[in-house]
Amino acid sequence: MITPTLPANELARLESLKSLDILDSLAEETYDSITKLASEICHTPIALITITDSKRNWFKSKIGTSIPETDREISFCTHAILEPSELLEIPNTLKDTRFSENPLVIAENGVRFYAGVPIKDEKGLPLGTLCVLDSKEHHLSQSQKEALKALAKQVELLFEYRRKNQALEKMKNDLDETNRVLREFASTVSHDLKMPLANMIVSADILKAKYSNIMDEEGVNYLNYLKQAGLTLSDYINGLLDHYSSNHIESVNHQEFFLNDLLEDIIDLLQIAENCEINLPDNNLKIHSNGAALGQIFMNLISNSLKYNQNDKIVIDIDCNENREFFNFSISDNGIGIPEAKQASIFDLFTTATDLDRRGKKGHGIGLSTVKKLVASLGGSIRVISEEGKGTRFEFSIKRTIPVD
């Protein structure tokens, strides 16, 4: 028996194998289907997908044997990976000096035939093989060899997908951790700022009430600016808290309610002025969903329709319909509209469609990002249709849920 030498790139090969994180993983149907095909095509009782570690040859998938691994020193595959671009075929192991005294060969019903195709990573480093074995002499036809090579390519693709999935999972975990830290930071800072801001706003009112008679117009204006700045920052903080608390609002129990009742409660909260006409849906849908989330969605959208409108009379139309899977809603207005160039990013955090609202205040770009998150949490989607100067229409859906008795 001849012990195989180590590949010249052994350290890099082992590093690649380690990053794949596949050793001792559970059996997977996608790999087992390949070994089954290899066995059928090559007419051999045994087929393996092997992974060559530093000390062992581990079987990711196996057909025709219950052995999970072999020592690397006596492995046929350790010879196969020395020529990563070639198929290694040994028709009769007893006639090959490399294997004639191998324990796997001289054992009862030992291996007489071996054919293996190296499985490589994206850099061409061999990680293992797809191989077929038999207890009697065997010869592969050219078509069988080509088929075995093709199946080995499929294993390489599975390895590549595994790496990509791992990268995506790591990216997701990193993003989740980053978002968690940001949520905690935003919540902590926001709560810590709310009380000083409230004190600043109240102090401005007290100073104005007590001393405006001895202050000139410029001094009074400064107090007004101070109060307005405090209110603006307070709105910003409240928006941040709403945005990050929306991560958990979907956990609220679902309930049954009528849509128009929900909308009327929102209109009462917003204290709509007389110069505004809000047309509710003709069909008052009975909805089973997260009322808190849906209410926050409509609160943001109606509030935007009120703020970004320069007409003497504001008109807001709300409509709805349902199908087997979704409740579908729309809210349209006769406001200032959204420039086409900004429509693609309007749901991004801190993105605003216009500089100033109806009262000359600048938006913070939090509301629509929160709306999109809430809609997604309810299993739906949202889009905007708008023309600058002619109004805006938001269309969104939420997935129907089945009431639980």
Side-chain angles (χ1 to χ4, degrees):
M1 186 186 83
I2 298 176
T3 302
T5 59
L6 293 177
N9 50 17
E10 177 68 0
L11 291 178
R13 193 191 69 79
L14 290 175
E15 188 63 31
S16 177
L17 179 58
K18 181 181 178 180
S19 68
L20 185 62
D21 191 27
I22 198 171
L23 284 166
D24 299 312
S25 58
L26 295 175
E28 298 177 56
E29 185 178 354
T30 48
Y31 292 95
D32 291 342
S33 63
I34 291 176
T35 48
K36 185 175 181 180
L37 275 173
S39 175
E40 292 288 339
I41 291 170
C42 296
H43 305 303
T44 59
I46 299 175
L48 307 169
I49 293 174
T50 71
I51 306 294
T52 304
D53 197 6
S54 59
K55 300 293 185 181
R56 58 178 174 150
N57 203 49
W58 177 75
F59 306 153
K60 171 60 182 172
S61 176
K62 53 187 183 291
I63 296 292
T65 181
S66 59
I67 299 173
E69 61 186 45
T70 60
D71 290 339
R72 178 170 175 173
E73 289 186 354
I74 61 173
S75 167
F76 300 98
C77 300
T78 313
H79 289 270
I81 65 171
L82 295 176
E83 296 292 339
S85 302
E86 302 294 332
L87 180 152
L88 174 63
E89 182 181 23
I90 308 160
N92 190 330
T93 55
L94 290 174
K95 298 178 180 179
D96 191 309
T97 56
R98 292 172 295 178
F99 308 105
S100 58
E101 297 179 2
N102 188 300
L104 298 175
V105 173
I106 62 178
E108 185 177 358
N109 296 320
V111 177
R112 291 292 176 270
F113 168 79
Y114 171 90
V117 179
I119 299 169
K120 298 170 286 186
D121 68 5
E122 65 278 4
K123 295 180 180 178
L125 298 172
L127 305 181
T129 69
L130 171 63
C131 61
V132 290
L133 304 94
D134 202 341
S135 58
K136 59 181 183 292
E137 185 172 335
H138 197 86
H139 295 266
L140 294 183
S141 67
Q142 187 60 36
S143 61
Q144 287 174 322
K145 292 178 181 178
E146 294 301 322
L148 198 61
K149 291 178 181 178
L151 290 173
K153 286 291 183 185
Q154 295 305 306
V155 179
E156 291 178 355
L157 286 175
L158 290 175
F159 283 2
E160 184 180 345
Y161 294 151
R162 182 182 180 89
R163 289 188 192 277
K164 289 180 178 179
N165 286 335
Q166 289 171 335
L168 288 173
E169 186 66 25
K170 183 180 184 303
M171 186 182 299
K172 177 182 178 299
N173 291 338
D174 289 345
L175 284 173
D176 287 345
E177 177 62 17
T178 300
N179 286 333
R180 184 190 67 78
V181 173
L182 283 174
R183 283 196 301 271
E184 290 182 358
F185 174 78
S187 180
T188 300
V189 171
S190 298
H191 280 109
D192 289 349
L193 286 176
K194 287 189 76 172
M195 185 56 69
L197 270 176
N199 290 337
M200 183 178 76
I201 294 167
V202 171
S203 296
D205 281 336
I206 293 174
L207 287 171
K208 184 177 177 181
K210 291 187 67 174
Y211 301 111
S212 60
N213 61 326
I214 61 174
M215 298 175 67
D216 58 16
E217 183 179 354
E218 185 177 8
V220 172
N221 285 338
Y222 280 135
L223 287 178
N224 289 334
Y225 295 152
L226 179 64
K227 179 180 179 179
Q228 189 57 51
L231 290 171
T232 298
L233 187 53
S234 180
D235 288 343
Y236 181 75
I237 290 171
N238 288 333
L240 277 176
L241 289 173
D242 287 343
H243 180 81
Y244 287 111
S245 65
S246 68
N247 291 314
H248 309 290
I249 197 169
E250 61 266 25
S251 63
V252 176
N253 290 333
H254 289 201
Q255 58 190 7
E256 280 193 337
F257 55 89
F258 285 99
L259 176 62
N260 286 7
D261 293 344
L262 177 71
L263 293 173
E264 287 170 358
D265 289 342
I266 292 171
I267 291 169
D268 288 341
L269 286 173
L270 290 173
Q271 298 180 332
I272 306 299
E274 293 182 358
N275 68 332
C276 178
E277 174 185 323
I278 298 183
N279 299 310
L280 300 184
D282 294 331
N283 53 333
N284 188 12
L285 286 182
K286 186 177 184 180
I287 297 174
H288 182 268
S289 185
N290 185 329
L294 187 60
Q296 191 170 341
I297 292 167
F298 273 112
M299 177 79 79
N300 272 289
L301 294 179
I302 294 173
S303 179
N304 278 352
S305 291
L306 294 171
K307 288 191 296 184
Y308 298 103
N309 195 314
Q310 301 298 338
N311 290 301
D312 292 333
K313 183 174 183 178
I314 299 171
V315 179
I316 300 172
D317 294 311
I318 302 173
D319 201 3
C320 63
N321 63 69
E322 59 183 323
N323 55 39
R324 292 182 62 182
E325 294 188 68
F326 295 96
F327 291 110
N328 304 300
F329 309 95
S330 69
I331 175 169
S332 55
D333 60 52
N334 63 337
I336 62 177
I338 301 172
E340 185 176 357
K342 294 188 176 183
Q343 290 178 21
S345 61
I346 194 63
F347 296 105
D348 296 342
L349 187 61
F350 304 128
T351 298
T352 57
T354 186
D355 292 333
L356 302 174
D357 65 14
R358 185 182 182 90
R359 298 178 180 177
K361 296 173 62 178
K362 182 174 176 59
H364 303 301
I366 300 174
L368 286 180
S369 174
T370 303
V371 164
K372 185 177 180 180
K373 287 176 62 180
L374 290 168
V375 169
S377 76
L378 297 179
S381 60
I382 186 169
R383 67 169 186 157
V384 61
I385 304 167
S386 184
E387 186 175 349
E388 197 168 3
K390 294 187 178 181
T392 298
R393 176 184 177 90
F394 286 96
E395 296 179 349
F396 70 95
S397 62
I398 63 173
K399 197 168 184 64
R400 295 182 70 113
T401 58
I402 301 174
V404 179
D405 295 332

